[in-house]
Amino acid sequence: MLEAVASILPKPSSEIDRIPAVFASQRANRWNLSRSTPAERIARLRKLREAIIARRAQLAEAIHQDFRKPAMEVELTEIHPTLEELNHTVKHLKGWMKPKRVATPLTLKGASSHVRFEAKGVVVILSPWNYPFQLLAAPLIAAIAAGNAVMLKPSEKTPHTSRFLAQLVRDVFPENEVAAFEGGADVAEALLQQPFDHFFFTGNPNIGRKVMAAATKFLSSVTLELGGKSPVIIDESANLTATAEALAWGKFVNAGQTCVAPDYIYVPASKQQAFLEALKTVLTRFYGATEAERQASPDFARVVDPVAWKRLKEVLDRTVAAGARVETGGTADGPSRYVSPTVLSGVTKAMPIMEAEIFGPVLPVLTYERREEVYAHINEGGKPLALYVFAQDSKVVEEVLQHTTSGGVVVNNVLIHVANPNLPFGGVGMSGLGNYHGHYGFKTFSHERAVMVQWMKSLASVFFPPYRGKTQEWASRATRMLE
């Protein structure tokens, strides 16, 4: 049985007191970091990489203690993507840091133009509990690559992982470069009082608004990685077996506690029964044929805390009471924070399960006759962080892209776009603001400084006052010819 997280690993009482002093030390060091060379930044990243590799077993154990996440899931969704991000950044950082030449208009002949990438300064990263390592480490990598000093706040809902991260940071970085702070909402509130140059937050929109308000006080830039109800559209042309397999993995990995998890499915009414049967077959193969086998499976995580478990249990009960059918699952055990892999059919968009992001192992299946119905429903809600399309017909895929919007899209699979460092990851509207990963993360934590150098006498001098005479007339005509 898992313990309630509120009863273990209380936050150090001195954390809030440390914040102003650490911020001051990082502010004093920011210019040293911003002027650091590619080799110096790469050395920091490599040191972090070595520490992660050396402690991967400890990390897996910490996350397992927090919500029984399987070791293989820790490898695939926490450690491997982080190391890929690190390797990609180390490989490309020297090129990213080089000033980028840009064209200069003919009317400004005699000058050259380029863009420099400068560190923003001292930044804060507030990370969530659902992927407690990867969602802290990925923005940290980008912030270090861009030459910033960084203050970190891991989630108190995963206290064993938070303790691990704090120790990792202390062992790898001096405090005036990177510092981590354990604790709850009071520590986060204290951090938000500091005049950071950039605020980076991953979590829910309600807290995101508070972070944005704090950034506004200092006119600082902000990145918000939020969430939303990420829809799935299954087309008539989809391979139902492959679709069911991908969706069962993407929905139930991490017990459904994934910001880009498939939140609900739209399947053609004529294909619903076949799809449900395929989904049940896959779940039997993944986690066992009976509820007892599934609850005993070492491959299925737990809900993070009693509050989240209660919320899921209540919304599931209310949805079933409203007429939804439990096709499989439906079991919820409070002491172990277990909610079984659950599939609901007969769901309508008015039911409780459709009101907000589920963030748990419950998958509602809705049906449609015409795709226009699906587009209308998706577009009337908040813009989702991800959208998934299963279709073998490329025209259908293009139609879906034309009629919807989302942070990202995956066709004939789920989640995998997050693992590609060449793609920007981020939301739009209620699902987020800004993006990161790879070069996009480096740019998020950088100021793009415009630089123009006048090497020769400027042609612009012909426009200096007084505004009359043949030279001015000629210059005016020449300018219009270039428009």
Side-chain angles (χ1 to χ4, degrees):
M1 185 183 298
L2 298 177
E3 299 175 275
V5 297
S7 65
I8 55 179
L9 299 179
K11 74 172 183 66
S13 59
S14 61
E15 290 292 78
I16 292 175
D17 297 334
R18 286 176 55 220
I19 290 172
V22 173
F23 181 86
S25 72
Q26 291 198 353
R27 177 55 62 89
N29 192 39
R30 64 154 296 186
W31 292 109
N32 294 326
L33 293 174
S34 68
R35 290 191 293 265
S36 58
T37 65
E40 290 169 331
R41 298 181 192 183
I42 287 170
R44 294 186 186 103
L45 293 172
R46 283 180 171 157
K47 188 176 180 182
L48 176 60
R49 183 180 186 276
E50 290 168 5
I52 293 169
I53 291 172
R55 305 182 196 197
R56 66 198 313 162
Q58 293 173 249
L59 173 59
E61 178 58 26
I63 297 178
H64 186 270
Q65 284 183 286
D66 283 328
F67 56 107
R68 225 182 87 169
K69 185 168 182 170
M72 181 58 73
E73 284 189 10
V74 174
E75 282 289 329
L76 293 176
T77 65
E78 302 270 10
I79 298 173
H80 179 71
T82 299
L83 294 177
E84 283 289 301
E85 187 79 15
L86 261 167
N87 294 340
H88 181 82
T89 301
V90 165
K91 180 179 179 180
H92 296 284
L93 181 56
K94 187 175 181 180
W96 294 346
M97 288 178 64
K98 288 180 179 178
K100 299 295 187 291
R101 289 288 299 269
V102 297
T104 303
L106 184 59
T107 50
L108 300 176
K109 187 174 174 60
S112 63
S113 307
H114 67 270
V115 178
R116 288 178 178 264
F117 298 92
E118 299 182 344
K120 287 193 172 178
V122 184
V123 305
V124 64
I125 297 172
L126 305 169
S127 63
W129 54 264
N130 58 324
Y131 290 88
F133 177 71
Q134 194 265 336
L135 291 179
L136 179 141
L140 172 62
I141 291 164
I144 293 170
N148 297 281
V150 190
M151 293 172 72
L152 305 165
K153 164 67 173 67
S155 174
E156 71 278 11
K157 288 193 174 188
T158 47
H160 294 91
T161 311
S162 178
R163 182 65 51 85
F164 170 89
L165 288 166
Q167 187 63 54
L168 178 74
V169 167
R170 281 194 295 270
D171 291 346
V172 174
F173 302 102
E175 203 168 58
N176 65 352
E177 291 183 10
V178 182
F181 297 84
E182 297 178 78
D186 54 347
V187 174
E189 291 284 355
L191 283 166
L192 293 180
Q193 300 307 309
Q194 302 301 315
F196 291 101
D197 299 290
H198 187 82
F199 291 73
F200 190 104
F201 169 77
T202 303
N204 69 66
N206 290 332
I207 305 301
R209 290 186 181 93
K210 293 183 179 180
V211 174
M212 196 166 189
T216 300
K217 288 189 298 183
F218 308 111
L219 297 180
S220 301
S221 54
V222 62
T223 301
L224 301 177
E225 298 296 339
L226 308 176
K229 295 184 74 64
S230 296
V232 178
I233 302 174
I234 300 175
D235 180 56
E236 292 272 358
S237 65
N239 179 321
L240 292 185
T241 300
T243 299
E245 191 170 61
L247 288 171
W249 168 69
K251 179 61 181 181
F252 299 113
V253 69
N254 211 44
Q257 298 165 123
T258 304
C259 58
V260 289
D263 197 85
Y264 61 96
I265 293 172
Y266 265 110
V267 63
S270 61
K271 300 285 186 177
Q272 177 185 218
Q273 197 55 44
F275 170 70
L276 290 172
E277 292 305 318
L279 196 54
K280 291 175 189 177
T281 299
V282 172
L283 287 174
T284 296
R285 176 158 55 91
F286 281 8
Y287 304 115
T290 67
E291 278 299 322
E293 290 176 348
R294 293 178 183 185
Q295 190 163 2
S297 171
D299 301 319
F300 189 70
R302 293 297 182 262
V303 177
V304 70
D305 63 16
V307 175
W309 180 88
K310 182 180 179 182
R311 176 186 62 80
L312 284 167
K313 178 71 165 60
E314 288 178 350
V315 74
L316 176 59
D317 289 346
R318 289 194 297 123
T319 301
V320 172
R325 295 183 297 278
V326 177
E327 294 287 341
T328 187
T331 300
D333 178 66
S336 62
R337 305 202 305 273
Y338 171 77
V339 176
S340 63
T342 300
V343 178
L344 303 176
S345 65
V347 177
T348 68
K349 62 183 183 180
M351 288 183 176
I353 200 72
M354 298 298 292
E355 291 172 358
E357 185 177 6
I358 298 167
F359 227 70
V362 181
L363 183 58
V365 178
L366 297 83
T367 61
Y368 71 93
E369 298 290 345
R370 298 167 55 251
R371 282 192 298 275
E372 289 76 11
E373 307 165 26
V374 181
Y375 304 149
H377 175 215
I378 293 172
N379 292 334
E380 73 187 15
K383 298 174 183 178
L385 185 54
L387 185 146
Y388 304 112
V389 189
F390 288 84
Q392 297 302 312
D393 186 336
S394 60
K395 291 182 180 177
V396 171
V397 172
E398 182 59 31
E399 181 190 289
V400 172
L401 293 173
Q402 291 286 342
H403 285 81
T404 60
T405 184
S406 62
V409 176
V410 180
V411 179
N412 293 325
N413 212 327
V414 293
L415 311 190
I416 59 173
H417 61 305
V418 177
N420 184 352
N422 295 293
L423 285 173
F425 177 74
V428 56
M430 288 296 291
S431 60
L433 174 68
N435 54 46
Y436 70 120
H437 285 190
H439 193 206
Y440 301 95
F442 172 80
K443 292 175 70 175
T444 286
F445 286 100
S446 299
H447 166 58
E448 296 180 61
R449 189 179 189 183
V451 179
M452 199 164 182
V453 181
Q454 188 72 54
W455 297 109
M456 301 165 54
K457 181 176 173 62
S458 174
L459 290 179
S461 62
V462 300
F463 297 104
F464 294 168
Y467 302 122
R468 54 186 175 273
K470 289 185 178 182
T471 300
Q472 286 280 351
E473 184 180 344
W474 173 86
S476 180
R477 289 178 181 177
T479 301
R480 292 188 181 189
M481 290 175 63
L482 296 172
E483 290 177 351

